[in-house]
Amino acid sequence: MRAYGVPLTQGHDKLLNSLKQAPLLSGYHLALWFASNWWRLRWEPRRKSTAWALAHSMASIGEGYIWPDIDFASDGRFVLLNARPTMDRPGTPFRYITPETTSVIAAAKFEAVVDEFVATVVQRLRDCCPGATALDATWAAVGEERASNTVSAKRKLEALLGLDPDDMDDGRYAELQADGERIGVTALQELAAASEHGAIPTAGELQEMGRASGHPCGGFVRFGQAAPVRANEPPMAASGQAWQAGGATARWLRDQQRLGADPITNRMLSELCGLQPRVLQKARTATGPGLAFLARGMAGKNCVVLRAKREEGRRFELARLLGDELMREKDEPLKDEPFSLATRSYTYRQKAQRAFAAELLSPFQAVDGMLDGDYSEEAQQDVAAHFNVSAVAIRTQLANHERIDRFEPEWGAAGAGLRAAPGVRP
């Protein structure tokens, strides 16, 4: 397997004492793994769980072969291939030595490559071994599901919840569909992607959070008519990665508002969102809402709910919600999507939000200039204090701009995702 010309399966063959591009592996078992996990590979974002690894890591394929430590994580628009070297274990004849690397491909390209590979294996089996196989049946079922809009919608939601096909019974799916009609399909999918063990807040619970913790919102700032981007034009176009989309939108907003590279005060940020500055002050309650969101039309008005307790966290969440509004798809009617959510998931939308917030509150050029080549933890903390953001936001900015090590899948949660070239091939 190669990505942009870089071998991902190169390693050391101990028996021959030589380097090889890959050991002998089973095309059948790899194709069956792709087919069995197709929906989760295509739609499920990264989760820190054994169940996620079993469905997304090639190392879990087994069947007596030495598989590479490569996993696939989708954000909905792109699929990230994370490759790592394997340990040198006694008794194991092959060790993968590929350096830690992340490759990013468009989801449509991923589908095409997997389709071609599985179809090739299926045809080869038919030519060599006539008769039905488990791969034949599984791949045919996946094809039928993909061809049906109704079944595809259910399979996608199951995958976002971290479930295998048919793990969700019809009753539960009907409940989620009913909630989706109240909170919007996009909001439902974002909640599903952020869920743990399949549990997500109901529409009623979201509304109760809004009533208990919501702050009246007068309206978010919009791009002017002469702005270089609006709706789903370039930053949110499918051709741009999340960190690029969010960063570009934040820079355009700073330019429009003539903010320069100075820190954004609480008053400035709250005015951009139609809120009072006190909303950003440290929360005094011990408990609070489980997530941050913007609710439209609650009791005839909009309201903002913030989850974070600390001031820098509340600033970051509010900036994320602002970015979500500015990057909203133009074909996404507000009446059909009454909630905009800021969750902890790794979907494209959430990563773009984080990239926007990081660039708006701590513009990279200013951050890099202040650090002046000193990327120590102490220097990062000083810069974070200057811009009133967390140290994680500064680390993410530096990682996305290749100032520090960028191979950290967790950066997708705190920042904006990882950089790589736009293609892959097996």
Side-chain angles (χ1 to χ4, degrees):
M1 181 180 287
R2 302 174 68 86
Y4 326 117
V6 177
L8 302 182
T9 52
Q10 188 178 57
H12 179 241
D13 189 321
K14 296 180 183 179
L15 299 179
L16 299 177
N17 193 25
S18 64
L19 292 178
K20 294 181 64 176
Q21 291 301 307
L24 291 177
L25 298 171
S26 168
Y28 173 83
H29 288 106
L30 178 58
L32 182 59
W33 181 78
F34 274 127
S36 300
N37 296 291
W38 192 91
W39 289 102
R40 295 184 66 176
L41 292 170
R42 173 61 184 87
W43 292 109
E44 187 182 10
R46 180 175 296 279
R47 282 186 168 92
K48 297 178 182 178
S49 70
T50 302
W52 186 92
L54 289 173
H56 293 262
S57 175
M58 291 178 62
S60 70
I61 299 175
E63 302 296 340
Y65 294 89
I66 305 171
W67 296 97
D69 187 3
I70 298 175
D71 66 48
F72 300 76
S74 173
D75 67 13
R77 294 192 181 194
F78 295 90
V79 177
L80 284 68
L81 277 67
N82 301 298
R84 307 168 187 82
T86 56
M87 300 289 290
D88 187 6
R89 297 184 177 89
T92 301
F94 191 90
R95 180 190 175 221
Y96 293 94
I97 60 173
T98 299
E100 295 181 341
T101 184
T102 294
S103 306
V104 184
I105 62 170
K109 179 66 173 178
F110 171 78
E111 290 187 21
V113 170
V114 172
D115 286 354
E116 181 181 4
F117 172 71
V118 176
T120 299
V121 174
V122 168
Q123 188 58 52
R124 182 70 179 271
L125 287 170
R126 289 173 179 171
D127 293 342
C128 300
C129 311
T133 65
L135 176 59
D136 269 307
T138 304
W139 192 237
V142 170
E144 292 174 1
E145 292 167 350
R146 291 166 66 180
S148 167
N149 291 336
T150 301
V151 179
S152 291
K154 183 180 181 182
R155 291 289 181 263
K156 178 180 178 180
L157 189 57
E158 286 174 326
L160 290 170
L161 287 165
L163 303 175
D164 290 327
D166 279 331
D167 272 2
M168 180 166 52
D169 61 52
D170 292 339
R172 175 57 174 157
Y173 183 53
E175 292 174 356
L176 292 176
Q177 282 184 304
D179 267 353
E181 293 177 359
R182 296 175 62 186
I183 67 175
V185 174
T186 299
L188 177 64
Q189 292 175 351
E190 294 295 334
L191 287 173
S195 67
E196 295 183 5
H197 310 296
I200 63 176
T202 65
E205 290 170 340
L206 284 179
Q207 291 171 341
E208 180 56 33
M209 286 184 210
R211 284 189 289 268
S213 306
H215 303 279
C217 171
F220 286 26
V221 69
R222 296 288 181 183
F223 282 126
Q225 292 301 312
V229 58
R230 291 188 299 279
N232 69 345
E233 295 169 9
M236 284 297 277
S239 59
Q241 293 180 45
W243 72 272
Q244 297 168 321
T249 307
R251 287 189 291 273
W252 280 322
L253 180 61
R254 272 188 167 268
D255 289 345
Q256 175 180 283
Q257 302 299 120
R258 296 180 174 83
L259 299 176
D262 296 329
I264 293 181
T265 65
N266 285 355
R267 178 172 294 279
M268 295 165 64
L269 179 58
S270 59
E271 287 178 352
L272 290 174
C273 302
L275 293 165
Q276 294 296 318
R278 64 175 180 273
V279 170
L280 296 171
Q281 295 174 358
K282 182 178 179 179
R284 298 180 180 179
T285 57
T287 60
L291 73 161
F293 58 86
L294 166 67
R296 303 177 187 84
M298 283 195 63
K301 59 185 179 183
N302 298 339
C303 75
V304 166
V305 174
L306 300 178
R307 179 193 60 83
K309 300 292 188 296
R310 297 172 60 87
E311 181 176 306
E312 61 267 28
R314 294 173 75 82
R315 283 165 53 85
F316 199 81
E317 285 181 347
L318 184 57
R320 286 180 62 180
L321 294 174
L322 172 59
D324 193 78
E325 286 297 286
L326 293 174
M327 294 184 288
R328 174 175 293 281
E329 303 285 7
K330 65 182 180 182
D331 58 352
E332 186 178 300
L334 292 180
K335 65 180 180 64
D336 295 333
E337 296 293 338
F339 287 89
S340 291
L341 308 170
T343 75
R344 295 175 177 175
S345 79
Y346 302 173
T347 65
Y348 183 95
R349 189 167 193 153
Q350 302 304 317
K351 292 192 291 184
Q353 287 180 15
R354 296 183 190 104
F356 174 90
E359 183 66 19
L360 179 69
L361 298 179
S362 51
F364 171 72
Q365 292 299 332
V367 167
D368 202 38
M370 289 184 65
L371 290 171
D372 193 24
D374 179 7
Y375 302 121
S376 65
E377 184 176 345
E378 293 79 8
Q380 292 180 40
Q381 290 174 343
D382 289 342
V383 173
H386 175 75
F387 287 105
N388 199 6
V389 298
S390 70
V392 174
I394 300 301
R395 288 201 303 271
T396 301
Q397 285 283 66
L398 297 175
N400 283 330
H401 290 84
E402 299 183 335
R403 295 298 191 268
I404 61 177
D405 183 12
R406 63 190 173 126
F407 186 80
E408 291 286 351
E410 288 78 12
W411 294 98
L418 303 164
R419 300 182 63 180
V424 72
R425 59 187 178 87

